Amino acid sequence: MGNWEENVRKVVPYVPGEQPKMDNLIKLNTNENPYPPSPKVLEAKLDMSRLKLYPDPAADMLVSAIADYHGVDKSRVFVGVGSDDVLAMSFMSFFNSDKAILFPDVTYSFYDVWADMLHIPYKTVPLDEDYRIRPEDYKCGNGGVIFPNPNAPTGISLPLESVREIIEANRDVVVIVDEAYVDFGGETALPLTDEYDNLLVVRTFSKSRSMAGIRIGYAIGQEKLIKYLSDVKYSYNSYTMNMPSIILGTASIADEEYFREQVAKVVATRERTTKALEELGFKVLPSKANFVFASHKEKPAKEIFTAARERGIILRYFDRPRTDDFLRITIGTDEEMDSFIEFLKDFV
Amino acid sequence: MGNWEENVRKVVPYVPGEQPKMDNLIKLNTNENPYPPSPKVLEAKLDMSRLKLYPDPAADMLVSAIADYHGVDKSRVFVGVGSDDVLAMSFMSFFNSDKAILFPDVTYSFYDVWADMLHIPYKTVPLDEDYRIRPEDYKCGNGGVIFPNPNAPTGISLPLESVREIIEANRDVVVIVDEAYVDFGGETALPLTDEYDNLLVVRTFSKSRSMAGIRIGYAIGQEKLIKYLSDVKYSYNSYTMNMPSIILGTASIADEEYFREQVAKVVATRERTTKALEELGFKVLPSKANFVFASHKEKPAKEIFTAARERGIILRYFDRPRTDDFLRITIGTDEEMDSFIEFLKDFV
């Protein structure tokens, strides 16, 4: 090891869900939306000659569209390169206490990665035996709170009054509610941002807007919170949102009808899939997301995962305590889910 | 101030060069390329329906194109959202010493911003009286070294042997050479990455490739250095390069002929502009970049800046010690520079 390596930040990198390059794959492993983005996105015109210019650092067109959509002032909206960028920047901006930040033991697997990388102390809070977040567990002194709602990979949604209870108990730190999946049936905490200056709600275009490939995430909070976040962002990289993101993201927001339709389709398929899984002997956690988290009475999850893969069906399996009996199954099209259920009928 | 604000990272944000929304503007303030990207970029087909999927986190197509272009293995290439992203990530990865990192007193204005934000101690090293980097000034103990070559906003290029001298004297830390402008006539340190495992060379698509709007930067170093950087990147945000970036960046690399032609045009215009400025009483630092840094014998730079703005010509003025007599003038088209020179003939 050269001496220069002594001062290198050494991390155990996050391993993203696999993106296998096989044909005829049924890809139910990364919670992508099975439907394409809005026709307004597909037909949007990008003037590539404009690429010679820097994009608007404030991404004003996109920020204004998001602000109008949610009925808030644009000073209350922050955009980033996917919600991962927004969340990582939020960790960096808001979690600078010596006290541990809190998040569930079973949750989005990036939270501990960011905490480790940024040297932020953290403590995981066990979900209850039904895999639910208990607000009373978040009432001890801490350096900040973050949780997804609905939670991932459980899919379980926390009622708004419980979210409020957590915020009320943590007025001295920033509370981040990661609403990546909320459009599929959860209750949003956005209205609470009017009341609480320490609440940040984070959203993404990757799930309900079928635009994982464009990398857009955003956060909404009170102006002061957004200003702190923007200051850190501008100190890091002023121009993160490229021209195609700004144009195509704005086009997506403009098509509410298509958005509602395809979200409703995913939700209907989720309900149908849940029923079919239950009939096959699965326990399925009650999901308000675009995936279900399911455990079979007899067959070990890992075996199902491996057998499915051999049939070209890719699921997500988390080989960790409390989750190693479960499979996380992204909701695809009806046809994809039918193929998956057919496979299960053979296998279990 | 709410108690939650105590643990907020407070920074003085970087202020990017203005992007005024006026018509008929001659925009010579942010070192953009006046020519559009390659026709291969303009005509590239983007299949927007693919946006529903996450992009390849390794951006393999783009990374491979860059690796082939420079004749290195793809394990030696790192890509990010503009060179600002690559550089900020490099600061975070490599500059973790208690000793101060070193960079010139007159240089890219983001270095001290990143150091402040990431709590990295730093010391600025004065350029000599001719605004040149002196290798001997970088031979004291430090936590890392970074400089642009050509330097900005001076445009002055450091000979390769001087770059080597700096690296040789700093084998115990990481040395970053920021080659944002090198294609316009500088000497690249890329060949030295074969010899030195602590050298990172950073490039951008924003200047010579006319693609500031797409946000692509990259770094080349030995595999071990790139692996450390990638680990931090994957711990921060796995999917930073969106689908349009990957496709359009690859298309740009494929068109070497156009690339050389338009770079040659910018260089020719720079030389012509330099001569015209000198004839009008300007001292022009010898530039190997797509801008010139010039100071008039009599007229204060700030006055010229303000008068030019009134005529719709936007320049960059840095109101700081050692640079407040200068204007940074981006090289536009011949027509744009003619208009600028006409304005100066009236004014000075």
Side-chain angles (χ1 to χ4, degrees):
Chain A
M1 186 165 108
N3 285 345
W4 61 266
E5 291 185 72
E6 281 170 22
N7 293 313
V8 170
R9 188 180 297 246
K10 292 169 196 82
V11 295
V12 179
Y14 175 84
V15 180
E18 59 179 339
Q19 300 282 9
K21 282 161 191 147
M22 294 157 57
D23 285 338
N24 302 317
L25 209 65
I26 299 185
K27 197 167 173 303
L28 308 179
N29 68 328
T30 50
N31 295 346
E32 287 146 337
N33 196 309
Y35 302 109
S38 154
K40 287 196 200 298
V41 172
L42 304 186
E43 293 152 17
K45 292 271 175 288
L46 298 179
D47 175 2
M48 301 300 185
S49 69
R50 279 180 50 207
L51 287 178
K52 70 179 184 181
L53 302 175
Y54 280 94
D56 171 15
D60 189 62
M61 189 168 80
L62 177 60
V63 165
S64 297
I66 293 169
D68 289 349
Y69 182 74
H70 290 296
V72 297
D73 189 82
K74 67 183 185 179
S75 63
R76 293 182 52 187
V77 176
F78 175 89
V79 293
V81 181
S83 59
D84 285 347
D85 181 40
V86 175
L87 288 165
M89 209 64 86
S90 302
F91 272 54
M92 189 184 276
S93 303
F94 301 126
F95 293 161
N96 294 288
S97 169
D98 293 333
K99 291 187 194 161
I101 63 167
L102 305 180
F103 48 82
D105 63 339
V106 176
T107 197
Y108 185 38
S109 40
F110 243 124
Y111 298 159
D112 57 354
V113 174
W114 289 319
D116 281 337
M117 190 191 58
L118 297 168
H119 309 310
I120 299 167
Y122 67 92
K123 212 177 93 183
T124 58
V125 181
L127 298 178
D128 73 11
E129 57 189 10
D130 296 324
Y131 290 83
R132 290 178 187 279
I133 290 172
R134 274 186 306 231
E136 54 269 36
D137 295 341
Y138 292 81
K139 294 182 179 175
C140 52
N142 63 67
V145 174
I146 179 163
F147 57 90
N149 192 28
N151 195 10
T154 64
I156 295 175
S157 179
L158 190 67
L160 191 58
E161 281 316 300
S162 299
V163 175
R164 182 193 289 277
E165 194 182 332
I166 292 174
I167 301 165
E168 281 284 358
N170 289 283
R171 297 287 285 126
D172 285 347
V173 297
V174 172
V175 176
I176 302 176
V177 183
D178 176 357
E179 296 191 339
Y181 300 103
V182 78
D183 291 321
F184 299 104
E187 274 186 280
T188 181
L190 277 178
L192 301 185
T193 61
D194 294 337
E195 290 176 60
Y196 299 103
D197 62 356
N198 63 322
L199 168 64
L200 191 75
V201 174
V202 176
R203 295 283 189 95
T204 178
F205 277 51
S206 299
K207 312 298 180 185
S208 55
R209 295 201 171 271
S210 303
M211 293 180 78
I214 201 69
R215 318 307 305 122
I216 301 177
Y218 60 99
I220 293 181
Q222 288 192 13
E223 184 173 354
K224 192 186 258 189
L225 205 60
I226 296 301
K227 175 72 164 61
Y228 278 128
L229 194 51
S230 296
D231 285 353
V232 168
K233 174 241 173 81
Y234 283 122
S235 298
Y236 193 86
N237 188 354
S238 298
Y239 301 97
T240 60
M241 306 306 290
N242 68 13
M243 181 272 269
S245 292
I246 294 172
I247 306 268
L248 299 173
T250 305
S252 171
I253 292 278
D255 195 350
E256 179 66 5
E257 191 183 342
Y258 177 85
F259 174 74
R260 287 182 189 274
E261 271 171 22
Q262 53 86 14
V263 164
K265 282 204 292 195
V266 171
V267 169
T269 307
R270 178 187 72 208
E271 297 308 309
R272 210 169 63 81
T273 302
T274 299
K275 198 157 163 283
L277 287 168
E278 285 171 346
E279 282 166 8
L280 286 166
F282 281 88
K283 175 188 166 191
V284 185
L285 299 187
S287 172
K288 295 289 184 190
N290 69 337
F291 58 84
V292 292
F293 205 47
S295 172
H296 195 260
K297 278 174 201 151
E298 290 151 20
K299 287 277 183 188
K302 196 167 188 173
E303 269 183 38
I304 304 173
F305 171 79
T306 306
R309 204 180 191 296
E310 281 162 14
R311 291 271 286 269
I313 301 171
I314 314 290
L315 309 170
R316 192 86 192 259
Y317 174 66
F318 300 96
D319 197 358
R320 297 188 197 172
R322 300 197 76 186
T323 59
D324 53 1
D325 283 343
F326 284 83
L327 291 165
R328 195 192 67 185
I329 304 153
T330 301
I331 301 302
T333 61
D334 278 322
E335 295 67 34
E336 287 173 327
M337 300 324 280
D338 286 346
S339 300
F340 173 56
I341 295 295
E342 282 309 308
F343 151 75
L344 286 177
K345 278 183 183 158
D346 286 357
F347 187 75
V348 298
Chain B
M1 186 164 108
N3 285 343
W4 60 267
E5 291 185 75
E6 281 169 21
N7 294 311
V8 170
R9 189 180 296 248
K10 291 169 198 82
V11 297
V12 179
Y14 174 83
V15 180
E18 59 179 337
Q19 301 282 8
K21 283 159 191 149
M22 292 158 58
D23 285 337
N24 302 318
L25 209 63
I26 299 186
K27 198 169 171 306
L28 307 178
N29 68 328
T30 52
N31 295 345
E32 288 146 337
N33 197 308
Y35 303 108
S38 154
K40 286 195 200 299
V41 173
L42 303 186
E43 292 152 17
K45 290 271 174 291
L46 298 179
D47 175 2
M48 301 300 185
S49 69
R50 281 180 50 209
L51 287 178
K52 71 180 184 180
L53 301 175
Y54 280 94
D56 172 15
D60 189 62
M61 188 167 83
L62 177 61
V63 165
S64 298
I66 293 169
D68 289 350
Y69 182 74
H70 289 297
V72 298
D73 189 82
K74 67 184 185 181
S75 64
R76 293 182 52 189
V77 177
F78 175 88
V79 292
V81 181
S83 59
D84 285 346
D85 182 39
V86 175
L87 289 165
M89 210 63 87
S90 302
F91 272 53
M92 189 185 275
S93 302
F94 301 127
F95 294 161
N96 294 288
S97 169
D98 292 333
K99 291 186 193 160
I101 63 167
L102 305 180
F103 49 82
D105 63 338
V106 176
T107 196
Y108 185 37
S109 40
F110 243 123
Y111 298 159
D112 57 354
V113 174
W114 289 320
D116 282 336
M117 189 191 57
L118 296 168
H119 309 309
I120 298 167
Y122 67 92
K123 211 177 95 183
T124 59
V125 181
L127 298 177
D128 73 9
E129 58 190 8
D130 296 324
Y131 289 84
R132 291 178 186 278
I133 290 173
R134 275 185 308 229
E136 56 268 36
D137 295 339
Y138 292 82
K139 294 182 180 175
C140 51
N142 62 67
V145 174
I146 179 161
F147 57 90
N149 192 29
N151 194 12
T154 64
I156 295 176
S157 179
L158 190 66
L160 191 58
E161 282 316 300
S162 298
V163 175
R164 182 192 289 278
E165 195 182 331
I166 291 174
I167 301 165
E168 281 284 358
N170 289 285
R171 297 287 285 126
D172 285 347
V173 297
V174 172
V175 176
I176 302 176
V177 183
D178 177 356
E179 296 192 339
Y181 299 103
V182 77
D183 290 321
F184 299 103
E187 274 186 279
T188 180
L190 277 178
L192 301 184
T193 62
D194 294 337
E195 290 177 61
Y196 299 104
D197 63 355
N198 63 321
L199 169 63
L200 191 75
V201 174
V202 176
R203 295 283 189 96
T204 179
F205 277 51
S206 300
K207 312 298 180 185
S208 55
R209 295 201 171 272
S210 303
M211 293 179 78
I214 201 66
R215 315 309 304 125
I216 301 178
Y218 60 99
I220 293 181
Q222 288 193 12
E223 184 174 352
K224 191 186 260 190
L225 205 60
I226 297 300
K227 175 72 164 63
Y228 279 128
L229 194 51
S230 296
D231 286 353
V232 169
K233 175 241 173 80
Y234 283 123
S235 297
Y236 193 85
N237 188 354
S238 297
Y239 301 96
T240 58
M241 305 305 290
N242 68 11
M243 181 273 268
S245 292
I246 294 172
I247 307 267
L248 299 173
T250 305
S252 169
I253 292 277
D255 196 350
E256 181 65 6
E257 192 183 341
Y258 177 85
F259 174 74
R260 285 183 191 276
E261 272 171 22
Q262 52 85 14
V263 163
K265 281 203 292 196
V266 172
V267 168
T269 307
R270 179 187 71 210
E271 296 309 309
R272 212 169 63 81
T273 302
T274 299
K275 198 159 162 287
L277 287 169
E278 285 170 346
E279 283 167 7
L280 287 167
F282 280 90
K283 175 186 167 193
V284 185
L285 299 187
S287 171
K288 295 290 184 188
N290 69 336
F291 57 85
V292 292
F293 204 47
S295 171
H296 195 261
K297 278 175 202 153
E298 289 152 20
K299 286 275 182 189
K302 197 167 187 174
E303 269 184 37
I304 303 174
F305 170 80
T306 306
R309 204 178 190 299
E310 281 163 14
R311 290 272 285 268
I313 303 171
I314 315 289
L315 309 170
R316 192 87 193 257
Y317 174 66
F318 299 96
D319 197 358
R320 297 187 198 174
R322 300 198 76 186
T323 58
D324 53 1
D325 282 344
F326 285 83
L327 291 166
R328 195 191 69 185
I329 303 153
T330 301
I331 301 302
T333 61
D334 278 322
E335 295 67 33
E336 288 172 327
M337 300 324 280
D338 286 346
S339 300
F340 173 56
I341 295 295
E342 282 309 308
F343 151 75
L344 285 177
K345 278 183 185 159
D346 286 357
F347 187 73
V348 297

